[in-house]
């Protein structure tokens, strides 16, 4: 078998951060069973808020966190509906949820209840905030728990500017990688011992983890937000070429490469100058602004194409500051299957990022778009021993919902 083929995941989630984890597992070959309420995951309603169109069959916005899944719709408050979900869990390896604690306990889907009944289950829980502390029962979204509380929206802009608009779900998709890593670690141990485990990731923690340099350097006096005209390392900064293109150079070892870099930048007169050739000196004597100003003037003398040749010749790490349009047109992204075109009947060609993890045994994964609410409910009920008469009775009792119609 290849990748995670044969691994079954039951998903009890909504929105993005938690659902994106099973999407990644699905691209690795796992079987994903997404359990939705009759009204569907609330993320199905979010497309217009991102400026995207959707209909009842196709939804590019929803696909971003929900490719490669099987869709069952169950009323978890109905005893027979819950009994069906327990059957799914019993035969699964992993459960992923983002429900809050009170709801999980009330439904009997909390870790303590499920692990007592099914000790083999790996239980992945995505939260807004931690399991302890004043926010443990609060709703937590990417924008609030990650970007706002985690300090991103006030640290990213230039000093003196207003908070930035971080792209929606920026933290969600990053947190999903951490939850994926956690459940896979627990899965390895489960396969060795037969015993499951609980994996917890929260958005606030993910933001602070990503902000480590800011968190630690601030305690030594570094400022956040900061100005690009005052950064402590002038050769790890953004500049503008003579033809108006912004680019970033990233050579943090200023001291080691000073002579070569400043020669390449046309500032040979500074080579060997002990007033400028170490970060310690320019920091202590507050000369970083002077160096940045000299670099700005130097970079304004050539076009970006000219600088690109020089950067490559001297192996100076650099990149043009891409816009989203630049990324969407980037050959590198398509050559490495970072971006994948999909075709929608209603919307035509759309491009979507693939998950960033590759298994050689799987290769570039198949991508299957999301399906309507309850699309696979009947199929899974039959697979788990329910008869056609049973299904009709469960539908009539409001325990399950089956999709009616054809795609």
């Amino acid at each position: 078998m290849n990748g995670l083929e044969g691994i079954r995941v039951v998903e009890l989630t909504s929105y993005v951060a938690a659902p994106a984890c099973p999407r990644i597992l699905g691209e690795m070959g796992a079987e994903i069973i997404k359990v939705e309420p009759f009204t569907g995951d609330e993320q199905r309603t979010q497309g217009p808020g991102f400026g995207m169109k959707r209909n009842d069959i196709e939804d590019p916005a929803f696909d971003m966190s929900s490719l490669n899944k099987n869709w069952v719709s169950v009323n978890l408050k109905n005893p027979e509906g819950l009994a069906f979900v327990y059957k799914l869990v019993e035969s699964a390896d992993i459960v992923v949820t983002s429900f809050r604690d009170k709801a999980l306990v009330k439904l009997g889907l909390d870790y303590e209840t499920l692990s007592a009944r099914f000790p083999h289950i790996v239980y992945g829980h995505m939260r807004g905030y931690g399991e302890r502390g004043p926010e443990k029962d609060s709703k937590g979204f990417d924008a609030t728990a990650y970007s706002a509380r985690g300090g991103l929206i006030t640290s990213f802009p230039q000093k003196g500017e207003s908070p930035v608009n971080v792209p929606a779900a920026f933290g969600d998709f990053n947190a999903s990688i951490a939850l994926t890593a956690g459940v896979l670690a627990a899965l390895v141990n489960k396969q060795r011992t037969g015993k499951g485990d609980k994996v917890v990731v929260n958005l606030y923690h993910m933001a602070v983890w990503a902000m480590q340099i800011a968190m630690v350097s601030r305690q030594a006096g570094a400022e956040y937000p900061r100005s690009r005209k005052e950064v402590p390392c002038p050769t790890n900064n953004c500049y503008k070429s003579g033809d108006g293109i912004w680019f970033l150079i990233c050579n943090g070892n200023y001291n080691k490469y000073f002579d070569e870099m400043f020669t390449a930048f046309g500032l040979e007169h500074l080579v060997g100058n002990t007033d400028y050739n170490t970060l310690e000196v320019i920091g202590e004597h507050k000369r970083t602004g002077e160096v940045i100003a000299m670099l700005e003037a130097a970079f304004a003398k050539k076009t970006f194409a000219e600088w690109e040749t020089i950067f490559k010749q001297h192996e100076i790490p650099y990149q043009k500051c891409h816009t989203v349009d630049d990324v969407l047109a980037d050959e590198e992204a398509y050559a490495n299957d970072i971006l994948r075109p999909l075709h929608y009947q209603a919307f035509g060609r759309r491009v979507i990022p693939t998950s960033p993890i590759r298994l050689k045994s799987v290769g570039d994964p198949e991508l299957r778009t999301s399906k309507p609410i309850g699309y696979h409910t009947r199929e899974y009920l039959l697979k788990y021993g329910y008869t056609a008469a049973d299904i009709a009775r469960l539908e009539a009792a409001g325990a399950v919902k089956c999709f009616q119609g054809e795609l």
Side-chain angles (χ1 to χ4, degrees):
M1 293 192 293
N2 297 327
L4 295 182
E5 187 179 350
I7 298 298
R8 181 171 292 157
V9 181
V10 173
E11 178 187 335
L12 301 159
T13 71
S14 61
Y15 289 101
V16 176
C21 166
R23 178 198 155 173
I24 296 168
L25 298 173
E27 289 188 32
M28 292 180 179
E31 175 189 4
I32 313 300
I33 306 170
K34 166 89 171 182
V35 179
E36 291 186 282
F38 291 179
T39 53
D41 183 338
E42 288 190 36
Q43 185 65 14
R44 289 184 183 268
T45 69
Q46 298 300 295
F50 308 143
M52 301 172 67
K53 294 182 179 180
R54 62 171 298 277
N55 59 39
D56 290 340
I57 303 299
E58 295 182 318
D59 191 340
F62 191 46
D63 284 343
M64 289 186 283
S65 55
S66 286
L67 292 169
N68 290 26
K69 298 180 182 180
N70 299 286
W71 304 88
V72 301
S73 185
V74 181
N75 179 359
L76 297 175
K77 296 178 181 178
N78 182 292
E80 290 191 288
L82 185 61
F84 173 46
V85 170
Y86 280 153
K87 285 180 180 287
L88 295 175
V89 172
E90 183 178 17
S91 69
D93 301 281
I94 299 168
V95 170
V96 176
T97 188
S98 57
F99 295 174
R100 287 186 283 172
D101 293 338
K102 290 180 181 178
L104 289 167
V105 171
K106 187 174 182 179
L107 292 168
L109 293 169
D110 56 296
Y111 172 71
E112 286 71 22
T113 299
L114 289 187
S115 64
R117 293 188 62 162
F118 314 113
H120 70 284
I121 279 295
V122 170
Y123 189 94
H125 194 185
M126 180 68 75
R127 305 173 63 94
Y129 304 96
E131 294 183 287
R132 304 179 295 273
E135 300 288 357
K136 66 184 179 64
D137 296 319
S138 299
K139 282 186 177 181
F141 292 97
D142 159 85
T144 54
Y146 187 95
S147 295
R149 190 153 188 154
L152 276 77
I153 64 173
T154 57
S155 297
F156 277 26
Q158 291 294 301
K159 184 178 178 180
E161 296 180 2
S162 63
V164 297
N165 290 317
V166 178
F170 181 86
D172 286 335
F173 286 110
N174 284 297
S176 71
I177 297 288
L179 189 60
T180 301
V183 298
L184 290 178
L187 181 66
V188 169
N189 195 49
K190 175 245 179 184
Q191 292 180 327
R192 291 188 303 200
T193 66
K195 184 177 171 67
D197 204 345
K198 182 181 183 182
V199 180
V200 180
V201 171
N202 78 71
L203 289 164
Y204 181 45
H205 196 160
M206 282 300 303
V208 176
W209 167 258
M211 291 277 286
Q212 285 194 65
I213 289 179
M215 295 294 166
V216 178
S217 65
R218 176 67 186 129
Q219 298 168 65
E223 286 194 352
Y224 289 89
R226 60 188 185 181
S227 166
R228 53 168 294 277
K229 293 181 179 292
E230 300 170 356
V231 294
C233 181
T235 54
N236 191 357
N237 201 17
C238 291
Y239 296 95
K240 189 190 287 188
S241 62
D243 53 346
I245 294 177
W246 282 97
F247 59 90
L248 182 143
I249 55 173
C250 180
N251 212 338
N253 201 333
Y254 177 95
N255 300 4
K256 179 178 180 179
Y257 297 107
F258 180 88
D259 288 353
E260 182 180 0
M261 284 191 296
F262 279 68
T263 299
F265 301 156
L267 297 169
E268 301 92 337
H269 64 284
L270 292 177
V271 171
N273 189 326
T274 56
D275 289 334
Y276 295 102
N277 66 357
T278 68
L279 291 179
E280 290 78 7
V281 167
I282 64 173
E284 181 182 352
H285 296 285
K286 303 193 182 304
R287 294 179 186 140
T288 55
E290 289 181 52
V291 177
I292 291 167
M294 287 188 280
L295 290 173
E296 285 182 322
F299 289 133
K301 294 177 180 178
K302 289 181 170 61
T303 66
F304 177 71
E306 290 174 311
W307 283 119
E308 193 166 30
T309 300
I310 293 169
F311 295 153
K312 287 182 177 179
Q313 180 184 347
H314 291 272
E315 296 190 337
I316 296 169
Y318 80 98
Q319 270 299 340
K320 174 186 173 184
C321 296
H322 276 195
T323 65
V324 173
D325 287 343
D326 289 330
V327 177
L328 288 172
D330 191 351
E331 179 185 358
E332 182 76 12
Y334 295 96
N336 290 283
D337 194 43
I338 295 168
L339 290 175
R340 177 87 65 85
L342 295 177
H343 179 77
Y344 291 91
Q345 195 70 28
F347 311 116
R349 183 182 185 271
R350 293 289 185 271
V351 172
I352 192 168
T354 58
S355 71
I357 302 171
R358 281 292 182 276
L359 301 180
K360 183 174 178 59
S361 63
V362 175
D364 293 341
E366 175 190 2
L367 298 184
R368 292 180 284 110
T369 57
S370 59
K371 300 295 185 289
I373 300 166
Y375 185 78
H376 296 101
T377 305
R378 185 181 304 279
E379 175 184 329
Y380 272 91
L381 285 165
L382 291 170
K383 186 183 296 187
Y384 280 79
Y386 292 86
T387 66
D390 292 331
I391 296 170
R393 179 180 58 78
L394 290 172
E395 283 193 281
V400 300
K401 178 178 180 178
C402 299
F403 175 69
Q404 306 296 328
E406 297 181 2
L407 296 186

